[in-house]
Amino acid sequence: MISKSLKKDLGELLVEEQFITEKQLQKSLEQSKKTGESLPRVLVNLGFVTDKDITEVIGKQMGVEFIDLEEYEIDPELARSIPEHLAQRYKVIPVAQKENTLTLAMVDPLNVIAIDDIRLITGFEIQPVIATEEAITGAINRQYGVTELAEVQDTVKDISAADYGTLDIEEAQEEEISLDKLRELVDEAPIVRVVNMIISQAINDKASDIHIEPEVKSVRVRYRIDGVLHDVMSPPKHIQAPMVSRVKIMANMDIAERRVPQDGKIHLRHDNREFDLRVSTIPTIHGEKVVMRILDKSSVLLGLNKLGFYPETQGIFESVVEKPYGMILVTGPTGSGKSTTLYACLNKLNTGNENIITVEDPVEYQLAGINQVQVNEKAGLTFANSLRSFLRQDPDKIMVGEIRDFETAQIAVEAALTGHLVMSTLHTNDAAGAVSRLIEMGIEPFLVASSVIGVLAQRLVRNICPNCKEQYTPPQEAVKQFGFLSMADTEVVFYRGRGCDHCKMTGYRGRTGVFELLEITDRIRSLTLQRSSSSEVRQAAIEEGMKTMQDDGLRKVVDGITTIEECLRVIYVEGEI
């Protein structure tokens, strides 16, 4: 691999280029030795560097230019000048052509066999540049996946309704296909191909969910990308039953049962990465609706530096996470990234020296070296019961998926007060609301004041697509309305995405966190003991220097990370502007 071509060790290079300190290198080397993981993977997991940083340093040592593929709009025709099987085998993608020279993004620019093969096939001289493997794989999937999905839609159109045994579309119902006939159909090549491509394209598009929704005369397939649903295709009604049944068989669900909700799970590999799909079905008046939640096992291995923290907030949060005992709460609505933040904290704490236990409902990602327990209400294994058992397991750190009731809250507080670090989530609108919520649940104020050491409130906003990002000057009235009073008399420059093929014409690509970190100071503890309202706690925290989610969001607008419209959609509620 590339590392063998380096004149110096990667660790030394990263220190020389000031990406990491000598102390961070030593810590990473020790963990690599204990866990058996490679040094680059440990460095990334600990949040010291990103894959881009490592690739950039390797490229510099080789004398090869590093490029960020996120900033390139690749010409589809140019990309397909190389057959897909070669692009996949060598992990390469063409990014530009000038006269007789083809600029080729490569994972390993020193792979002379790949360069020679592609020179022969294309007839161009090859100018290698280096990019991250993840970026190249994503670019390959985008360029070749679009064609495959179009072919699938053609396949769907060619599937004859007569072959699938349904009656007239107006009166066709799922039940009209016999069970024996369904079992035959779900194994036929067209249906297998359609379902496989719907799933693989969703993964390529970095969707979090796939929705298969039955309608009167068709079926609607939608992907949730960056928190927003997008229509993908509308297969005809006559393939609804076999398509849904194919998914149910993959998820080990009962295809004969169509009148009650069911849950299942699909495990698969795609581009050498492992994915779990949580499958849920419900009966609707037009047939069964299917939702598949896509869980990328590699995406959970994020460092805190990848979540969207500004350095000063990250520094304070890391100091809170590293405390030996106390309770840390992460708050926000469903889908705001709370679990990802907790997993990033666990990755940071998972050095192999401590006993870390989690209780989750369900366990979404499996983490090596951490003991994870899944809630099972039917068997009597609740959050509260699990927590009680944990305290007899000699834990150092405990993660509770969610505090839902008084009993769980009480045990979690007791654990935090008896020398354990407890991390959990709550559904509150802001950080100050978490303190009031625990008191409302029945926890005594003095226990809340003594146990809670930090509260992080968060939301997810969409990033402006780097490929089609442009500047614009907003009206002065808008500047005042959005809270930029200090800039009201000057010309303010904001950013937005025009829309391009990379972002499917939305102007957004990827998401980042917007945060509000409440440190529990003596003043906050005093207000907690007095049962002060969340608004009083919030005001006191702001006076002590807390940056609100609105502050964090507006800073990300000024920095060109997101847009005002996205902040209004996600952060602001009525009356806050």
Side-chain angles (χ1 to χ4, degrees):
M1 286 300 292
I2 291 175
S3 57
K4 293 179 182 177
S5 307
L6 296 178
K7 298 171 188 172
K8 293 184 181 179
D9 289 337
L10 177 63
E12 292 177 31
L13 289 169
L14 289 166
V15 172
E16 274 184 23
E17 296 295 327
Q18 298 184 341
F19 281 101
I20 60 172
T21 64
E22 189 66 44
K23 186 178 178 182
Q24 288 173 327
L25 174 60
Q26 291 309 315
K27 181 179 179 180
S28 303
L29 287 169
E30 287 171 16
Q31 184 157 335
S32 176
K33 192 174 180 180
K34 284 179 185 175
T35 62
E37 287 185 294
S38 67
L39 177 62
R41 183 47 46 202
V42 171
L43 285 164
V44 172
N45 289 350
L46 290 174
F48 294 153
V49 293
T50 65
D51 286 325
K52 285 182 183 178
D53 296 334
I54 291 173
T55 308
E56 188 176 344
V57 166
I58 291 171
K60 191 169 185 179
Q61 177 70 1
M62 289 180 176
V64 177
E65 181 189 354
F66 166 79
I67 66 166
D68 185 352
L69 287 179
E70 296 285 323
E71 298 174 1
Y72 276 76
E73 186 162 1
I74 299 171
D75 180 356
E77 286 188 21
L78 182 64
R80 292 187 194 121
S81 63
I82 296 175
E84 183 185 1
H85 71 277
L86 283 185
Q88 295 281 13
R89 182 196 303 170
Y90 293 132
K91 297 294 180 190
V92 299
I93 191 85
V95 293
Q97 177 200 339
K98 188 174 182 182
E99 296 176 351
N100 197 40
T101 301
L102 187 69
T103 302
L104 190 68
M106 307 179 69
V107 169
D108 184 0
L110 300 184
N111 187 338
V112 291
I113 295 173
I115 291 171
D116 287 343
D117 281 357
I118 291 165
R119 182 188 292 118
L120 285 170
I121 286 170
T122 62
F124 292 123
E125 289 301 312
I126 304 301
Q127 175 65 47
V129 294
I130 193 168
T132 65
E133 183 170 354
E134 182 183 4
I136 289 177
T137 300
I140 291 170
N141 288 336
R142 281 193 299 276
Q143 296 305 324
Y144 297 98
V146 171
T147 306
E148 291 180 9
L149 191 59
E151 289 172 3
V152 168
Q153 297 199 43
D154 291 338
T155 302
V156 167
K157 290 174 187 173
D158 293 339
I159 297 175
S160 166
D163 294 338
Y164 282 75
T166 57
L167 301 179
D168 184 71
I169 286 178
E170 292 285 342
E171 55 186 12
Q173 297 295 325
E174 200 173 2
E175 287 75 15
E176 288 167 356
I177 304 178
S178 71
L179 211 54
D180 290 338
K181 180 69 174 174
L182 260 183
R183 288 197 174 99
E184 287 177 30
L185 298 176
V186 295
D187 290 329
E188 288 188 3
I191 286 298
V192 172
R193 179 165 162 72
V194 167
V195 172
N196 287 351
M197 264 313 305
I198 286 173
I199 293 172
S200 63
Q201 188 62 38
I203 292 172
N204 292 345
D205 288 348
K206 298 184 178 178
S208 61
D209 301 86
I210 304 168
H211 290 240
I212 300 176
E213 304 171 341
E215 297 181 327
V216 179
K217 296 184 179 181
S218 65
V219 185
R220 181 159 66 158
V221 177
R222 298 197 287 174
Y223 295 162
R224 187 178 294 280
I225 301 171
D226 296 334
V228 178
L229 282 169
H230 299 270
D231 284 347
V232 178
M233 59 191 294
S234 294
K237 187 73 174 176
H238 58 259
I239 73 163
Q240 174 184 313
M243 186 164 66
V244 170
S245 296
R246 172 65 186 168
V247 173
K248 289 171 74 174
I249 283 176
M250 291 171 72
N252 293 315
M253 296 157 76
D254 184 1
I255 66 168
E257 182 54 78
R258 304 166 187 165
R259 292 177 174 83
V260 296
Q262 293 189 61
D263 295 297
K265 193 173 186 179
I266 299 171
H267 180 80
L268 57 87
R269 288 183 67 83
H270 181 77
D271 286 331
N272 294 319
R273 288 155 61 202
E274 292 193 2
F275 294 86
D276 282 330
L277 272 61
R278 277 213 325 260
V279 184
S280 170
T281 67
I282 59 168
T284 73
I285 58 172
H286 299 305
E288 284 184 288
K289 175 183 174 179
V290 180
V291 174
M292 290 178 268
R293 166 63 56 87
I294 301 171
L295 305 172
D296 180 355
K297 291 193 170 185
S298 64
S299 70
V300 75
L301 300 175
L302 292 174
L304 288 169
N305 63 327
K306 286 189 175 182
L307 301 182
F309 285 105
Y310 280 110
E312 56 271 28
T313 307
Q314 183 181 330
I316 297 169
F317 187 56
E318 285 184 347
S319 69
V320 172
V321 170
E322 289 172 351
K323 290 187 176 178
Y325 58 87
M327 181 185 285
I328 300 168
L329 296 170
V330 181
T331 77
T334 302
S336 59
K338 300 188 298 295
S339 296
T340 302
T341 298
L342 286 180
Y343 278 122
C345 294
L346 290 176
N347 277 326
K348 181 173 180 61
L349 296 171
N350 187 19
T351 59
N353 298 326
E354 295 179 308
N355 179 20
I356 303 175
I357 310 179
T358 76
V359 54
E360 305 167 61
D361 184 22
V363 173
E364 293 189 352
Y365 301 98
Q366 296 175 22
L367 301 175
I370 292 178
N371 307 285
Q372 296 171 273
V373 175
Q374 182 154 316
V375 166
N376 187 339
E377 299 278 357
K378 291 179 182 175
L381 186 62
T382 63
F383 278 118
N385 290 344
S386 300
L387 265 175
R388 278 199 196 90
S389 302
F390 285 3
L391 296 177
R392 296 192 290 272
Q393 289 280 317
D394 185 32
D396 297 294
K397 310 283 192 280
I398 298 171
M399 192 267 269
V400 184
E402 185 183 346
I403 293 178
R404 297 176 179 172
D405 51 42
F406 166 72
E407 191 177 11
T408 306
Q410 185 181 40
I411 302 166
V413 165
E414 288 173 3
L417 291 172
T418 53
H420 306 91
L421 183 71
V422 180
M423 295 179 287
S424 189
T425 69
L426 270 179
H427 287 284
T428 61
N429 289 329
D430 58 15
V435 174
S436 303
R437 178 63 56 85
L438 287 175
I439 295 172
E440 287 167 9
M441 281 181 171
I443 306 299
E444 290 294 334
F446 75 92
L447 292 175
V448 176
S450 303
S451 60
V452 179
I453 57 175
V455 183
L456 182 75
Q458 67 178 75
R459 300 286 189 278
L460 290 176
V461 294
R462 290 181 291 174
N463 295 331
I464 299 170
C465 174
N467 217 61
C468 58
K469 185 175 177 179
E470 65 178 11
Q471 295 182 349
Y472 75 101
T473 304
Q476 289 297 311
E477 302 76 36
V479 174
K480 292 176 183 177
Q481 180 189 358
F482 295 144
F484 294 96
L485 296 177
S486 60
M487 304 180 183
D489 297 325
T490 60
E491 189 172 282
V492 182
V493 175
F494 286 168
Y495 299 84
R496 62 189 171 197
R498 286 190 313 276
C500 64
D501 291 340
H502 281 251
C503 61
K504 301 191 182 302
M505 304 309 294
T506 62
Y508 297 100
R509 193 156 157 218
R511 286 191 290 179
T512 193
V514 175
F515 303 98
E516 175 178 289
L517 179 59
L518 172 66
E519 286 186 275
I520 307 300
T521 61
D522 290 340
R523 185 178 175 187
I524 301 300
R525 286 192 187 92
S526 175
L527 289 170
T528 304
L529 290 169
Q530 297 167 31
R531 294 180 181 265
S532 299
S533 67
S534 59
S535 59
E536 290 175 302
V537 172
R538 178 183 172 83
Q539 185 56 42
I542 291 171
E543 289 171 7
E544 292 195 324
M546 180 183 81
K547 299 297 181 186
T548 66
M549 276 187 288
Q550 287 86 347
D551 295 333
D552 197 49
L554 292 176
R555 184 175 170 186
K556 286 181 167 73
V557 169
V558 173
D559 289 346
I561 296 169
T562 190
T563 65
I564 275 291
E565 291 79 11
E566 190 64 3
C567 283
L568 288 170
R569 182 181 74 86
V570 174
I571 302 170
Y572 291 102
V573 294
E574 190 175 352
E576 286 192 339
I577 291 185

